Amino acid sequence: MHNLLKRQLKKNGLSLDTFPNATNWRHLLDSINKSYEQADQDRYVLERSLSLSSTEMQELNQRLKETYKTRESAILNAFPDLLFLIDEEGTYMEVLAGNKEKLHKPETEIIGKKIRDILPAVQANLIMDAIQQAITTGKMQVIEYELDVPSGRVHFEGRAVTIGKISNGQYGILFFSRDITDKVQSEYQQKLLDSVLTSTTDGIVIISGSHQVLYANEAVTRITGYSVEDLINEGKGFLRHEKDSELCKDIFKQANQTDHLQQEVIIHNKNDGISNILLSMDTKRNEQGQTEYIVGILTDISEIKSSQVRYEHLATHDVLTGLPNRYLLEERMRQSISKAEREGLSGAIFFLDLDRFKTINDSLGHGVGDRLLHQVASRLMRVCRIEDTVARFGGDEFVILVDDIESQEQAFQIAEKILHVFDKKYHVQGYELNVSTSIGISIFPTHGTDVEQLTKHADIAMYAAKSLGRNRYQLFANEYLESAITGLTLEHEMLNALVKEEFLLMYQPQYATKSRALTGFEALIRWQHPEHGMIPPSDFIPVAESTGQIEQIGLWVFEEICKKVVEWNEKGYLFNRVSFNLSQRQLMDGTLSDQLIRVMEKTGAIDFTHQIECEITESLIIKQTDIALETINNLKKAGILLAIDDFGTGHSSLVNLKRFPLDRLKIDREFVRDIGRDKNDEAIIRATIALAQGFDLDVIAEGVEEESQMKFLQEVGCQEVQGYLLNRPLSLEQCELLLQDQMLATKEVVFK
Ligand code: C2E
Ligand code: CA
Ligand code: CA
């Protein structure tokens, strides 16, 4: 019996052996009926649910399939690489995914075509090789190639993988090509950056906000001596200086405060001492303004620094004596003057000029002169205090600047001390030399409050000392300014003019009156002054005369013309003579003739003495002395020609003229000027020419400016003329042209 039925019987108090009453029986049947109904219900539910799930399953399945498809195409669409299905012969079967704009040709044009027909040979070969390899090895192959696509050139990375046989029976290959242009470019840029960073001579460090070294290039190692590892471990410690342990802190503090910092620092190089560094720091901040990192550039400027120091020394010191030069002196003077002004003090300038130094230099040579200056410099240094400035001003001039002078007397005491420096003889290259100096003193602020004024006044005072007899000192006084300022200044400047080669000679041609052929030249000196321009001889010869400088200048003139006479002869130029002017002072110098002869021997002009003419003014001849006469005779003996300059102005007597071995008379331009206007002057000219003929002298007229004067002079028998009408004093170049013309003209005459 079914357990359920057993349970129903038991529930209704029945058993198999008992017969039920009507009530029990009904109850039993009710419960059995209920069970049937329940079973029906259950089966229905079950059947129902089963039928339901199968349709739903179908729907679900359908839905799943769709989701999968969308996902697949979403994935493929989002796929960054172009994905091709290619068969083993290289036929494009399908473009499965990727950005189609990166196709070499439109999709429609490539499907069904072979790679070799679509791509350029190089790329096609490369890809076909990879496909073959992928098939034979079964492994993925990776290649890189560049290809032009409509948007430009693209760098691709290609990957080939086999997927076994496909529908056409061939092996199928999935070929992925990925645009890696950006990556390649950034790699290239990185490489460039790396090579710049390693090859640059500047040290580059990147330091974190907490001052840790994040990066350092090799140059940093070279500059600091620390290896890159050291730097990274040591942190900021590479910026080190023995004497300045705070250096680093300070710099980083400043870098934190400003965005850009540039500073010269001296750092301690781990290996070899000190390096001079130009440090530039750029601080990069985040949005909150905190330091993110600092880029530091270290430029080693040690070399520049040391050459700068050398250069500065050279620029501010005199090479010969090692003393401060004029520029440094002037700088110190400016400082002293303003300090004196601020503190109400006085100071003094001592302007020294060695007496007759030129003579030593010229007679014993520059070597001796230089050594002497050197010794003078050391003695001056010894006698001065360390805080005084002893400077070489130029040539044989020294200037001493002394601060803090309490009185004139104190300045005089110092001047005395300086004079005593010269008491003892100097020993130079076996020579015992007696040297003295003249000192001019100016006191500031009394005699001036600027460098120029004070120097000028000390200089003028020095000239006063010289004119008062040398070997002494003189304080500046205003009357020096009024008396002979131009003379004094010129005189002073003239001392250097020869050395600086500021003198030059012009040559005024002389001509035969009748033929107007060139006969000779008169050499006329000029002073090309750096500030005043061309100074005529009338402005400086008298000064040179009074100071004796004419001796040196005259000697220079003579040597110049001697050289020209020799040179022009060598060049074959034709000329009768070159004349030069002698001044009184020269003539009074007993050694003049010897000196001139020596110059002629030195230059070779001794062979051409008949082409050298000396002009002496008539007024000089009248004042002649025995010395002058002897000089003239000596020159005459050597073969030099002698002319009387400015003739007519001195009214010399016949007797006087007879005493001199003359060759020519030069009629003064005063007489020539008045030809045609002043009968008296014309008469004098006539008489002069007659006189000259009587003495067998040639005559030349100077200052000829008009044709009428020429005509007259020709009529009265004046052989030669010189004057603006025919030519002004010429430069050497102009003379040469004239001489060349003359030479050609003469040749033509000869060959005709
Ligand atoms: P000087 O010896 O009587 O020289 C002739 C002067 O007359 C020159 O002046 C010359 O330029 C000028 N002169 C020439 N032709 C004419 C003309 O047609 N008209 C006018 N108005 N002037 C003319 P410069 O060159 O100025 O020389 C002036 C003086 O300076 C010379 O007079 C001479 O006494 C002196 N001098 C020139 N050079 C030297 C030199 O080397 N040594 C010496 N000791 N004295 C010199
Ligand atoms: Ca003359
Ligand atoms: Ca003259």
Side-chain angles (χ1 to χ4, degrees):
M1 200 187 310
H2 195 281
N3 275 341
L4 270 177
L5 195 55
K6 276 187 203 163
R7 225 184 297 152
Q8 293 295 344
L9 284 176
K10 196 176 175 194
K11 209 171 141 190
N12 290 298
L14 298 174
S15 70
L16 289 172
D17 311 322
T18 51
F19 199 73
N21 63 23
T23 316
N24 288 347
W25 180 240
R26 197 164 286 127
H27 279 297
L28 178 70
L29 289 180
D30 269 357
S31 48
I32 291 170
N33 190 46
K34 266 185 194 156
S35 293
Y36 279 133
E37 279 174 359
Q38 184 63 45
D40 282 351
Q41 183 94 26
D42 284 353
R43 202 183 65 236
Y44 176 77
V45 168
L46 189 68
E47 277 172 1
R48 176 94 186 98
S49 73
L50 276 174
S51 76
L52 250 181
S53 69
S54 78
T55 41
E56 267 178 0
M57 279 299 278
Q58 273 170 6
E59 276 171 21
L60 191 67
N61 200 21
Q62 186 59 32
R63 248 186 281 144
L64 264 177
K65 264 190 194 162
E66 278 165 12
T67 327
Y68 176 71
K69 261 229 168 104
T70 16
R71 275 201 203 147
E72 182 194 64
S73 72
I75 290 171
L76 288 176
N77 282 341
F79 205 58
D81 302 352
L82 275 166
L83 179 54
F84 303 90
L85 179 62
I86 300 169
D87 70 12
E88 61 183 72
E89 286 176 348
T91 317
Y92 287 105
M93 307 296 291
E94 206 178 327
V95 180
L96 296 167
N99 179 356
K100 309 266 165 74
E101 280 164 15
K102 293 214 174 126
L103 284 171
H104 180 60
K105 286 191 174 157
E107 188 178 1
T108 47
E109 288 178 30
I110 64 171
I111 297 300
K113 301 265 172 54
K114 294 252 163 50
I115 289 181
R116 289 192 200 282
D117 299 328
I118 300 295
L119 299 187
V122 176
Q123 286 85 343
N125 288 340
L126 197 67
I127 295 172
M128 285 312 293
D129 284 353
I131 288 175
Q132 288 313 318
Q133 284 289 317
I135 295 169
T136 41
T137 61
K139 284 185 185 149
M140 181 170 75
Q141 302 296 313
V142 184
I143 53 171
E144 276 184 28
Y145 57 96
E146 280 184 297
L147 200 61
D148 289 323
V149 303
S151 61
R153 200 159 182 82
V154 174
H155 200 111
F156 285 106
E157 182 194 74
R159 289 162 190 262
V161 228
T162 49
I163 49 165
K165 298 262 167 117
I166 52 168
S167 51
N168 65 0
Q170 294 196 9
Y171 278 102
I173 280 93
L174 281 180
F175 189 79
F176 302 78
S177 43
R178 175 172 296 188
D179 178 353
I180 55 165
T181 315
D182 289 348
K183 188 178 141 224
V184 170
Q185 260 169 13
S186 74
E187 273 170 10
Y188 176 71
Q189 273 162 1
Q190 185 61 41
K191 253 190 222 157
L192 267 185
L193 191 64
D194 281 350
S195 72
V196 169
L197 288 176
T198 45
S199 64
T200 178
T201 48
D202 286 341
I204 297 170
V205 275
I206 300 174
I207 302 153
S208 72
S210 56
H211 301 163
Q212 286 301 307
V213 174
L214 303 173
Y215 170 86
N217 70 351
E218 282 167 28
V220 178
T221 304
R222 192 173 40 72
I223 294 169
T224 63
Y226 289 95
S227 70
V228 173
E229 293 76 52
D230 275 354
L231 289 174
I232 294 190
N233 298 334
E234 296 242 353
K236 58 187 178 176
F238 68 92
L239 274 182
R240 238 183 235 185
H241 187 267
E242 283 170 324
K243 294 194 189 121
D244 188 359
S245 55
E246 295 295 289
L247 173 80
C248 205
K249 260 196 214 156
D250 285 354
I251 286 177
F252 280 93
K253 211 160 124 195
Q254 287 178 50
N256 270 335
Q257 283 159 3
T258 57
D259 287 342
H260 183 77
L261 170 96
Q262 194 169 53
Q263 194 174 321
E264 278 185 26
V265 289
I266 298 172
I267 65 161
H268 189 70
N269 184 306
K270 196 180 172 195
N271 303 327
D272 48 6
I274 298 300
S275 293
N276 276 283
I277 303 295
L278 180 67
L279 179 69
S280 309
M281 286 189 154
D282 271 294
T283 308
K284 305 283 175 236
R285 300 177 194 284
N286 60 17
E287 279 171 5
Q288 288 76 49
Q290 291 154 329
T291 304
E292 252 178 31
Y293 59 93
I294 300 169
V295 178
I297 299 180
L298 290 79
T299 311
D300 192 343
I301 52 167
S302 307
E303 287 255 320
I304 300 171
K305 270 274 155 185
S306 62
S307 56
Q308 192 179 328
V309 169
R310 269 200 307 278
Y311 170 77
E312 267 165 23
H313 187 85
L314 276 179
T316 52
H317 288 78
D318 166 47
V319 181
L320 178 68
T321 59
L323 293 180
N325 65 12
R326 192 178 179 145
Y327 302 104
L328 185 54
L329 169 78
E330 287 175 355
E331 186 51 46
R332 300 232 176 118
M333 275 175 76
R334 268 188 282 277
Q335 288 166 5
S336 298
I337 294 166
S338 60
K339 186 174 166 241
E341 248 167 22
R342 276 198 313 274
E343 299 174 12
L345 302 170
S346 292
I349 312 290
F350 299 83
F351 199 113
L352 280 70
D353 186 289
L354 304 191
D355 300 327
R356 302 190 201 286
F357 175 76
K358 244 189 138 18
T359 321
I360 295 174
N361 220 9
D362 290 343
S363 52
L364 305 178
H366 289 286
V368 174
D370 286 355
R371 267 154 214 251
L372 175 65
L373 288 175
H374 198 270
Q375 287 188 23
V376 169
S378 347
R379 284 199 199 173
L380 288 175
M381 290 272 280
R382 253 175 277 146
V383 81
C384 288
R385 299 172 309 171
I386 194 98
E387 58 267 38
D388 301 334
T389 299
V390 180
R392 182 162 175 224
F393 200 70
D396 58 343
E397 295 162 342
F398 295 88
V399 171
I400 300 173
L401 162 69
V402 180
D403 284 349
D404 236 340
I405 294 273
E406 271 161 18
S407 61
Q408 269 184 23
E409 282 62 41
Q410 197 190 340
F412 294 160
Q413 282 164 13
I414 296 170
E416 288 283 352
K417 262 195 343 199
I418 300 171
L419 284 178
H420 285 311
V421 159
F422 296 85
D423 286 351
K424 269 199 343 212
K425 283 183 179 152
Y426 285 85
H427 296 272
V428 181
Q429 292 185 342
Y431 295 103
E432 265 195 354
L433 301 174
N434 260 321
V435 185
S436 64
T437 188
S438 302
I439 307 173
I441 309 171
S442 67
I443 289 180
F444 54 91
T446 322
H447 298 139
T449 48
D450 66 61
V451 170
E452 290 68 34
Q453 213 175 18
L454 282 164
T455 320
K456 192 171 123 196
H457 289 172
D459 188 14
I460 288 172
M462 185 275 289
Y463 266 87
K466 277 221 196 278
S467 61
L468 287 167
R470 301 184 164 96
N471 192 21
R472 66 182 61 224
Y473 61 84
Q474 203 61 37
L475 182 68
F476 172 75
N478 274 324
E479 54 260 36
Y480 297 148
L481 282 179
E482 288 137 32
S483 64
I485 176 154
T486 43
L488 277 171
T489 334
L490 271 192
E491 179 190 347
H492 179 223
E493 288 173 342
M494 226 188 298
L495 273 175
N496 286 320
L498 262 183
V499 182
K500 294 192 203 147
E501 298 184 349
E502 290 171 357
F503 291 120
L504 59 96
L505 287 182
M506 302 286 276
Y507 295 82
Q508 189 173 30
Q510 301 171 339
Y511 296 90
T513 319
K514 229 194 234 169
S515 67
R516 299 206 180 182
L518 179 74
T519 53
F521 298 92
E522 180 184 3
L524 296 160
I525 194 167
R526 301 284 179 269
W527 181 3
Q528 180 64 61
H529 191 281
E531 282 149 39
H532 307 315
M534 199 72 100
I535 304 183
S538 50
D539 283 358
F540 68 90
I541 294 285
V543 182
E545 279 254 350
S546 70
T547 60
Q549 286 163 324
I550 190 68
E551 292 174 16
Q552 294 297 326
I553 298 170
L555 218 54
W556 174 83
V557 170
F558 188 67
E559 184 165 342
E560 283 301 298
I561 68 141
C562 282
K563 286 184 193 157
K564 285 301 142 204
V565 166
V566 173
E567 186 189 318
W568 289 348
N569 270 297
E570 281 169 357
K571 286 182 171 165
Y573 297 152
L574 301 164
F575 62 101
N576 291 353
R577 73 191 85 81
V578 176
S579 59
F580 68 99
N581 295 281
L582 264 192
S583 72
Q584 167 159 10
R585 183 132 182 184
Q586 285 172 281
L587 211 53
M588 299 305 180
D589 180 359
T591 64
L592 179 76
S593 52
D594 283 350
Q595 287 179 27
L596 297 190
I597 288 166
R598 229 179 293 141
V599 169
M600 289 194 291
E601 282 167 349
K602 190 174 96 181
T603 55
I606 198 79
D607 296 328
F608 306 105
T609 48
H610 60 284
Q611 285 178 291
I612 299 172
E613 185 179 70
C614 166
E615 293 187 8
I616 301 168
T617 57
E618 190 191 14
S619 49
L620 267 188
I621 293 274
I622 299 166
K623 283 192 271 177
Q624 46 80 21
T625 59
D626 289 346
I627 296 179
L629 189 57
E630 201 195 335
T631 303
I632 290 170
N633 279 326
N634 284 342
L635 291 176
K636 190 68 214 171
K637 258 187 256 161
I640 289 183
L641 303 168
L642 186 64
I644 293 204
D645 205 356
D646 302 346
F647 190 78
T649 51
H651 313 287
S652 48
S653 75
L654 215 66
V655 188
N656 268 331
L657 285 182
K658 265 174 106 178
R659 292 182 60 200
F660 287 92
L662 300 175
D663 297 284
R664 280 219 285 187
L665 295 184
K666 246 188 141 171
I667 299 178
D668 191 55
R669 59 174 178 272
E670 212 180 279
F671 298 96
V672 176
R673 189 182 58 216
D674 291 331
I675 289 173
R677 282 185 283 266
D678 189 332
K679 291 278 167 226
N680 210 23
D681 281 345
E682 287 183 10
I684 290 174
I685 293 173
R686 278 205 186 89
T688 304
I689 292 169
L691 180 74
Q693 282 166 349
F695 279 103
D696 202 15
L697 299 175
D698 290 336
V699 181
I700 180 167
E702 67 177 351
V704 179
E705 295 181 321
E706 294 160 17
E707 273 304 341
S708 60
Q709 295 165 344
M710 275 293 277
K711 195 164 163 254
F712 173 84
L713 290 165
Q714 196 183 325
E715 277 166 15
V716 297
C718 174
Q719 290 106 331
E720 289 182 35
V721 283
Q722 174 185 347
Y724 292 171
L725 175 67
L726 297 155
N727 241 326
R728 289 186 171 251
L730 304 178
S731 70
L732 268 176
E733 289 80 354
Q734 292 169 317
C735 289
E736 289 244 356
L737 289 177
L738 216 60
L739 284 162
Q740 281 162 6
D741 282 348
Q742 163 97 345
M743 191 163 65
L744 289 175
T746 322
K747 272 190 191 147
E748 266 170 37
V749 172
V750 172
F751 291 124
K752 254 178 200 166

PDB file of all heavy atoms in Angstrom, residues 300-311:
ATOM      1  N   ASP A 300      81.152  76.187 -15.918  1.00  0.00           N
ATOM      2  CA  ASP A 300      82.485  76.372 -15.345  1.00  0.00           C
ATOM      3  C   ASP A 300      83.121  77.602 -15.962  1.00  0.00           C
ATOM      4  O   ASP A 300      83.422  77.628 -17.151  1.00  0.00           O
ATOM      5  CB  ASP A 300      83.333  75.127 -15.662  1.00  0.00           C
ATOM      6  CG  ASP A 300      84.618  75.129 -14.856  1.00  0.00           C
ATOM      7  OD1 ASP A 300      84.978  76.202 -14.335  1.00  0.00           O
ATOM      8  OD2 ASP A 300      85.259  74.061 -14.752  1.00  0.00           O
ATOM      9  N   ILE A 301      83.302  78.633 -15.171  1.00  0.00           N
ATOM     10  CA  ILE A 301      83.877  79.858 -15.714  1.00  0.00           C
ATOM     11  C   ILE A 301      85.261  80.107 -15.123  1.00  0.00           C
ATOM     12  O   ILE A 301      85.763  81.224 -15.142  1.00  0.00           O
ATOM     13  CB  ILE A 301      82.954  81.079 -15.482  1.00  0.00           C
ATOM     14  CG1 ILE A 301      82.554  81.168 -14.007  1.00  0.00           C
ATOM     15  CG2 ILE A 301      81.717  81.006 -16.346  1.00  0.00           C
ATOM     16  CD1 ILE A 301      81.924  82.493 -13.634  1.00  0.00           C
ATOM     17  N   SER A 302      85.887  79.021 -14.625  1.00  0.00           N
ATOM     18  CA  SER A 302      87.210  79.177 -14.009  1.00  0.00           C
ATOM     19  C   SER A 302      88.203  79.807 -14.974  1.00  0.00           C
ATOM     20  O   SER A 302      88.924  80.735 -14.621  1.00  0.00           O
ATOM     21  CB  SER A 302      87.742  77.827 -13.551  1.00  0.00           C
ATOM     22  OG  SER A 302      86.797  77.197 -12.731  1.00  0.00           O
ATOM     23  N   GLU A 303      88.205  79.256 -16.227  1.00  0.00           N
ATOM     24  CA  GLU A 303      89.150  79.756 -17.233  1.00  0.00           C
ATOM     25  C   GLU A 303      88.901  81.228 -17.518  1.00  0.00           C
ATOM     26  O   GLU A 303      89.812  82.035 -17.534  1.00  0.00           O
ATOM     27  CB  GLU A 303      88.955  78.990 -18.538  1.00  0.00           C
ATOM     28  CG  GLU A 303      89.467  77.588 -18.496  1.00  0.00           C
ATOM     29  CD  GLU A 303      90.758  77.462 -19.264  1.00  0.00           C
ATOM     30  OE1 GLU A 303      90.853  78.090 -20.328  1.00  0.00           O
ATOM     31  OE2 GLU A 303      91.657  76.760 -18.791  1.00  0.00           O
ATOM     32  N   ILE A 304      87.616  81.511 -17.757  1.00  0.00           N
ATOM     33  CA  ILE A 304      87.246  82.885 -18.083  1.00  0.00           C
ATOM     34  C   ILE A 304      87.680  83.797 -16.943  1.00  0.00           C
ATOM     35  O   ILE A 304      88.246  84.856 -17.152  1.00  0.00           O
ATOM     36  CB  ILE A 304      85.724  83.010 -18.292  1.00  0.00           C
ATOM     37  CG1 ILE A 304      85.289  82.114 -19.431  1.00  0.00           C
ATOM     38  CG2 ILE A 304      85.312  84.442 -18.530  1.00  0.00           C
ATOM     39  CD1 ILE A 304      83.795  81.973 -19.591  1.00  0.00           C
ATOM     40  N   LYS A 305      87.423  83.310 -15.719  1.00  0.00           N
ATOM     41  CA  LYS A 305      87.757  84.113 -14.539  1.00  0.00           C
ATOM     42  C   LYS A 305      89.243  84.406 -14.483  1.00  0.00           C
ATOM     43  O   LYS A 305      89.649  85.541 -14.288  1.00  0.00           O
ATOM     44  CB  LYS A 305      87.352  83.349 -13.276  1.00  0.00           C
ATOM     45  CG  LYS A 305      85.959  83.641 -12.861  1.00  0.00           C
ATOM     46  CD  LYS A 305      85.944  84.882 -12.002  1.00  0.00           C
ATOM     47  CE  LYS A 305      84.580  85.488 -12.100  1.00  0.00           C
ATOM     48  NZ  LYS A 305      84.386  86.736 -11.456  1.00  0.00           N
ATOM     49  N   SER A 306      90.047  83.349 -14.673  1.00  0.00           N
ATOM     50  CA  SER A 306      91.466  83.597 -14.489  1.00  0.00           C
ATOM     51  C   SER A 306      92.005  84.454 -15.626  1.00  0.00           C
ATOM     52  O   SER A 306      92.869  85.294 -15.408  1.00  0.00           O
ATOM     53  CB  SER A 306      92.255  82.298 -14.330  1.00  0.00           C
ATOM     54  OG  SER A 306      92.130  81.542 -15.491  1.00  0.00           O
ATOM     55  N   SER A 307      91.446  84.270 -16.840  1.00  0.00           N
ATOM     56  CA  SER A 307      91.945  85.155 -17.889  1.00  0.00           C
ATOM     57  C   SER A 307      91.417  86.564 -17.684  1.00  0.00           C
ATOM     58  O   SER A 307      92.067  87.531 -18.053  1.00  0.00           O
ATOM     59  CB  SER A 307      91.624  84.624 -19.284  1.00  0.00           C
ATOM     60  OG  SER A 307      90.267  84.413 -19.416  1.00  0.00           O
ATOM     61  N   GLN A 308      90.246  86.651 -17.048  1.00  0.00           N
ATOM     62  CA  GLN A 308      89.722  87.977 -16.747  1.00  0.00           C
ATOM     63  C   GLN A 308      90.620  88.683 -15.740  1.00  0.00           C
ATOM     64  O   GLN A 308      90.933  89.854 -15.878  1.00  0.00           O
ATOM     65  CB  GLN A 308      88.320  87.829 -16.171  1.00  0.00           C
ATOM     66  CG  GLN A 308      87.553  89.120 -16.081  1.00  0.00           C
ATOM     67  CD  GLN A 308      86.166  88.876 -15.526  1.00  0.00           C
ATOM     68  OE1 GLN A 308      85.564  87.831 -15.728  1.00  0.00           O
ATOM     69  NE2 GLN A 308      85.654  89.835 -14.800  1.00  0.00           N
ATOM     70  N   VAL A 309      91.066  87.909 -14.755  1.00  0.00           N
ATOM     71  CA  VAL A 309      91.960  88.487 -13.749  1.00  0.00           C
ATOM     72  C   VAL A 309      93.257  88.941 -14.422  1.00  0.00           C
ATOM     73  O   VAL A 309      93.733  90.050 -14.200  1.00  0.00           O
ATOM     74  CB  VAL A 309      92.256  87.454 -12.633  1.00  0.00           C
ATOM     75  CG1 VAL A 309      93.378  87.926 -11.733  1.00  0.00           C
ATOM     76  CG2 VAL A 309      90.992  87.181 -11.837  1.00  0.00           C
ATOM     77  N   ARG A 310      93.769  88.026 -15.311  1.00  0.00           N
ATOM     78  CA  ARG A 310      95.001  88.377 -16.029  1.00  0.00           C
ATOM     79  C   ARG A 310      94.776  89.630 -16.860  1.00  0.00           C
ATOM     80  O   ARG A 310      95.575  90.557 -16.853  1.00  0.00           O
ATOM     81  CB  ARG A 310      95.395  87.232 -16.975  1.00  0.00           C
ATOM     82  CG  ARG A 310      96.308  86.219 -16.364  1.00  0.00           C
ATOM     83  CD  ARG A 310      97.037  85.427 -17.445  1.00  0.00           C
ATOM     84  NE  ARG A 310      96.176  84.816 -18.435  1.00  0.00           N
ATOM     85  CZ  ARG A 310      95.551  83.663 -18.256  1.00  0.00           C
ATOM     86  NH1 ARG A 310      95.713  82.989 -17.145  1.00  0.00           N
ATOM     87  NH2 ARG A 310      94.790  83.166 -19.199  1.00  0.00           N
ATOM     88  N   TYR A 311      93.627  89.617 -17.554  1.00  0.00           N
ATOM     89  CA  TYR A 311      93.332  90.734 -18.431  1.00  0.00           C
ATOM     90  C   TYR A 311      93.221  92.026 -17.626  1.00  0.00           C
ATOM     91  O   TYR A 311      93.766  93.049 -17.996  1.00  0.00           O
ATOM     92  CB  TYR A 311      92.032  90.477 -19.194  1.00  0.00           C
ATOM     93  CG  TYR A 311      91.561  91.686 -19.925  1.00  0.00           C
ATOM     94  CD1 TYR A 311      92.168  92.057 -21.113  1.00  0.00           C
ATOM     95  CD2 TYR A 311      90.568  92.499 -19.393  1.00  0.00           C
ATOM     96  CE1 TYR A 311      91.777  93.198 -21.774  1.00  0.00           C
ATOM     97  CE2 TYR A 311      90.169  93.635 -20.036  1.00  0.00           C
ATOM     98  CZ  TYR A 311      90.772  93.994 -21.231  1.00  0.00           C
ATOM     99  OH  TYR A 311      90.397  95.131 -21.867  1.00  0.00           O
TER     100      TYR A 311
END
